[in-house]
Each structure stands twice: as structure tokens, then as C-alpha cells.
Amino acid sequence: MKFTQTLIAVAILSLAPAAFAADAVATVNGKQIKQSVYDYIAKDAASRGQKVDDQVKQAITNKLIDSELVYQEAQKLGLDKQADYVAREELSRRELLTSAYLQDFVKKNPISDVDTKAAYEQYKKAYGDKEYSARHILVKTEAEAKDIIAQLGKGADFAKLAKEKSMDPGSKDKGGDLGWFSPATMVKPFSDAVAGLQKGAVSATPAQTQFGWHVIKLVDSRSAQPLAYDKVKDGLQKNLQQRNLEKMMSDLRTKAKIDISK
């Protein structure tokens, strides 16, 4: 296979030796395919672990030739002059350059270990000193929640009611079980309600959040067990980098003169 491909390559070169420039990998109807384009594709393939052997090199060249042939036909039809194409081309160029800038910004503004460890200390502080295991039943109205509390007061089974009535798809089939969680991971009205309960108790009044009305049962509590630094390091660095990007964008907007046409 490689021998045949080599013969083809030699034949092509021998047929039109004058057509190839130093910076072109091939020419199609007199139009050069730049070596830099070929090099970029080969480099990208290698970066993804692909072995760029003679067979792959020939495949890259053939794909570029096929692409150029279709590109030329599209130009003959004037497709590159159509309004939608022109707009999409501009958007693609803008997105490529924007992506290149953001990658360059991230490279030039790395997150230090000092900043990451400081963020970890903030994470532990926000996590709190206790964790809770609880069940809840989420309903649409306060009246529904109060009715459920009344039923529980008469001996109804919490898990059964959760399966029948809760709107929370993540916990209803588990009898409302939320597992262990930190108050920091829950919306404040919910975490405040949980923190005010004794082990095994059900909330006397429902807690309202943006999701609806919650009837809560505290199963147990324990000392907080935040994840180890190595487990959250990558996530903390991504969050810090995102903050840097958001600040960069805010600074650019502050310095820019922006007029929005109406």
C-alpha cells in the first residue's frame, strides 16, 4: 500500500514539477494548497496521538485536494458571494480569533498554587463544619406541603408520600432521600430549615425556595468531610480562571466605547 502510494506521489511530481512552489503541498487547477495548512493538520493529528506515517500524510494531501476541488466548484457557482455564506464566514473568522485570544490569555495568566490553596481554604470554610443526611418532599403549594405534614403527623410513611407526591425527579423514586450534603450546596432557606431540625424530626412548617415548598426530614448529621485538596484542585483552578476571564471581559467593556443601534 505504501509502495503504491509512493509511486503515485512520484508520478504526480514528475508530471508537473514546475507547478509546485516551496510553500505548497500541491496545486489544483493552478491554485496552490499551502504547506502551512497541511502542516497544521498533521500537527493536530499528532497532538491527538495519531502516528503521522506516509499513509496518513498521503490521506491528508488527498483530503486537501478533494476539498480544494469542491471549493473551486463552489466559487464558480458564486456560493461564496451569498449573504448567508458571507455572514457565516465572518462569524467563523471572529470565533477563531476570539478563541486564539482567550487561549493566549489563559496561557499568559496561569493560576498559581498559592491562589488555588487560598481558594481551597475558602471552599472548606463555605462547606461548613457539619454535613446532613435528609429526605424531602417537594410540592407546588404551601397548602399541599401543610397537608403532607399533617399526614406525617398521623403516622404516614415519609418515603411512600415522597414517591407519590414529590416533584423532585432526582429524589422522589428514592423516597425523597438526598444523601449526605453540605449546607453550602443547598439554597439557603432549605439549608436553614435542615440545620434547625433534630435527628429524625420532620419540619413543622414547610420551607419555601424558588423550586417550591419542601417538607423535610432530618435523617442524621455528622462532622463535615470536605473533599481533599487533590480532589478539587482542578475544579478550583478552572473556577479561578473563569473569574479571570470574566474580569478581563469586564475591563474590556469598561474601556470600550459601545454604541448599540436600535
Side-chain angles (χ1 to χ4, degrees):
M1 177 63 114
K2 290 183 180 179
F3 178 71
T4 303
Q5 291 171 338
T6 302
L7 287 177
I8 294 172
V10 170
I12 293 172
L13 288 168
S14 63
L15 285 172
F20 289 85
D23 62 346
V25 67
T27 62
V28 179
N29 297 324
K31 177 69 180 297
Q32 292 182 0
I33 298 175
K34 293 181 179 179
Q35 180 71 42
S36 59
V37 175
Y38 169 92
D39 291 341
Y40 175 82
I41 296 173
K43 181 181 177 181
D44 181 62
S47 70
R48 289 183 282 105
Q50 186 171 2
K51 182 180 179 181
V52 184
D53 54 19
D54 290 343
Q55 186 173 354
V56 171
K57 290 177 180 178
Q58 188 64 50
I60 294 171
T61 300
N62 287 334
K63 188 168 183 177
L64 285 170
I65 290 171
D66 290 344
S67 176
E68 180 61 30
L69 286 167
V70 175
Y71 181 77
Q72 290 180 18
E73 290 302 306
Q75 285 182 314
K76 289 178 184 178
L77 294 175
L79 299 181
D80 57 330
K81 301 296 190 297
Q82 293 182 353
D84 284 353
Y85 172 81
V86 173
R88 288 172 60 193
E89 183 181 43
E90 181 181 348
L91 284 172
S92 294
R93 289 171 62 86
R94 188 184 297 271
E95 288 171 2
L96 281 171
L97 191 56
T98 298
S99 178
Y101 177 83
L102 294 177
Q103 289 177 20
D104 182 67
F105 178 86
V106 169
K107 183 178 179 180
K108 291 178 178 176
N109 296 274
I111 302 301
S112 68
D113 285 338
V114 172
D115 288 340
T116 307
K117 288 177 180 177
Y120 180 66
E121 292 304 315
Q122 292 178 354
Y123 155 74
K124 288 197 296 182
K125 184 177 179 180
Y127 196 90
D129 58 359
K130 293 188 75 174
E131 287 181 331
Y132 299 95
S133 172
R135 294 177 183 269
H136 83 138
I137 302 171
L138 175 65
V139 291
K140 189 175 295 185
T141 68
E142 183 179 15
E144 290 178 277
K146 287 183 175 180
D147 180 63
I148 289 171
I149 291 173
Q151 291 183 55
L152 292 170
K154 295 177 182 178
D157 183 74
F158 194 101
K160 183 179 179 181
L161 285 178
K163 290 179 180 179
E164 292 174 356
K165 300 180 179 295
S166 183
M167 299 189 305
D168 179 11
S171 69
K172 68 173 297 180
D173 291 337
K174 296 183 290 185
D177 188 9
L178 296 169
W180 288 98
F181 58 88
S182 159
T185 63
M186 298 294 184
V187 290
K188 194 172 189 305
F190 187 92
S191 59
D192 287 347
V194 171
L197 292 173
Q198 296 295 317
K199 180 178 177 180
V202 175
S203 52
T205 57
Q208 184 182 21
T209 70
Q210 65 264 44
F211 306 108
W213 293 85
H214 305 259
V215 178
I216 306 166
K217 179 178 181 179
L218 178 61
V219 177
D220 204 353
S221 63
R222 67 186 182 189
S223 297
Q225 300 179 32
L227 294 172
Y229 176 72
D230 289 342
K231 296 289 186 181
V232 296
K233 179 180 177 181
D234 289 345
L236 291 172
Q237 288 181 334
K238 288 178 181 177
N239 287 339
L240 290 171
Q241 192 65 74
Q242 183 61 35
R243 291 181 196 173
N244 280 354
L245 289 168
E246 289 172 357
K247 183 179 183 304
M248 177 270 292
M249 285 303 308
S250 178
D251 291 344
L252 288 177
R253 279 184 166 268
T254 300
K255 292 184 292 183
K257 181 182 179 181
I258 301 174
D259 296 314
I260 300 176
S261 300
K262 295 184 179 179

